[in-house]
Amino acid sequence: MTQDELIDQIQLDVPDVPRATVADQIKRMARELCDQADAWLYTGIVVAGAKSGYPQLSPGEGEPLRIVSLNDNGYAMKPGYDFVQPTPTTVEILRDTTRDTLNGKLSMRPRLEEDVPSTLLTQWRDTIACGVLWRLFLMPQPWRNPELASYHQRQFTVGVTDAKSKASYGHARGGARVKMRRFI
């Protein structure tokens, strides 16, 4: 799904809103979703120049938020012991590493000046759309509707909770298996 397709979908619910306003709100809610839950994870080379003394985060696209995991040649590095991340864009390596590039997972969020990536929109389209409608229905404009805003806020909160649980449990599907009790 692209950002233009999501704008068209949202404008079906609120046709009077300008496209630019909807696009800005999509960017804002995608960033808020990524801030609250690790909804967009980059997997690959996370740190470059680890042995140089000036390690750099190397995200593919977007802004880095936090390092979720970091590996040094198969060794899972521990935050606070092996490395620290004082700001979202900097990292300090506290021990000697065997490799100059470190693999892992990095939580990301979209940049404000760019469109939201299609991978994020495809996976979290409904949650982002509910967040946009929540914000739009609260604006002091002719389309204002506090009751619908409250409904969409609850739906956005449910989506954020779902994103948090998927990030915690490895984006796995399926429910818990429970053995049924015998009928006596």
Side-chain angles (χ1 to χ4, degrees):
M1 168 168 267
T2 64
Q3 187 167 324
D4 287 333
E5 292 171 349
L6 186 58
I7 290 172
D8 293 338
Q9 178 185 338
I10 291 170
Q11 282 195 317
L12 291 174
D13 292 331
V14 191
D16 298 336
V17 180
R19 285 184 72 82
T21 303
V22 176
D24 288 343
Q25 290 300 319
I26 287 173
K27 292 175 186 177
R28 177 182 178 187
M29 296 316 294
R31 287 172 61 90
E32 189 170 326
L33 174 67
C34 291
D35 283 342
Q36 292 183 18
D38 295 333
W40 185 24
L41 292 176
Y42 167 76
T43 304
I45 297 175
V46 174
V47 176
K51 295 179 110 181
S52 69
Y54 299 102
Q56 299 290 319
L57 288 175
S58 59
E61 56 181 297
E63 295 177 7
L65 286 176
R66 61 186 111 3
I67 296 173
V68 177
S69 66
L70 201 58
N71 298 317
D72 178 24
N73 203 18
Y75 170 74
M77 298 177 72
K78 298 175 192 77
Y81 180 73
D82 295 322
F83 71 93
V84 292
Q85 188 180 9
T87 67
T89 57
T90 60
V91 63
E92 296 175 15
I93 307 298
L94 302 177
R95 68 168 189 88
D96 291 334
T97 59
T98 59
R99 304 181 79 192
D100 200 34
T101 58
L102 304 175
N103 293 332
K105 292 183 182 178
L106 183 65
S107 178
M108 307 281 293
R109 73 177 178 187
R111 290 188 175 97
L112 275 176
E113 62 273 2
E114 297 175 1
D115 285 347
V116 178
S118 61
T119 55
L120 185 62
L121 286 177
T122 301
Q123 189 170 10
W124 301 107
R125 129 183 114 243
D126 294 335
T127 302
I128 293 171
C130 285
V132 170
L133 289 170
W134 163 39
R135 297 294 186 178
L136 290 176
F137 284 134
L138 284 180
M139 289 182 172
Q141 297 293 331
W143 59 79
R144 181 179 171 86
N145 190 337
E147 292 83 20
L148 278 176
S150 176
Y151 168 76
H152 287 292
Q153 179 185 14
R154 285 192 303 274
Q155 294 302 316
F156 179 75
T157 305
V158 167
V160 168
T161 304
D162 188 33
K164 285 180 184 178
S165 68
K166 283 187 177 182
S168 296
Y169 298 117
H171 298 276
R173 292 185 175 236
R177 295 184 182 204
V178 179
K179 186 175 180 181
M180 297 294 292
R181 297 180 77 187
R182 288 182 23 185
F183 180 72
I184 300 178

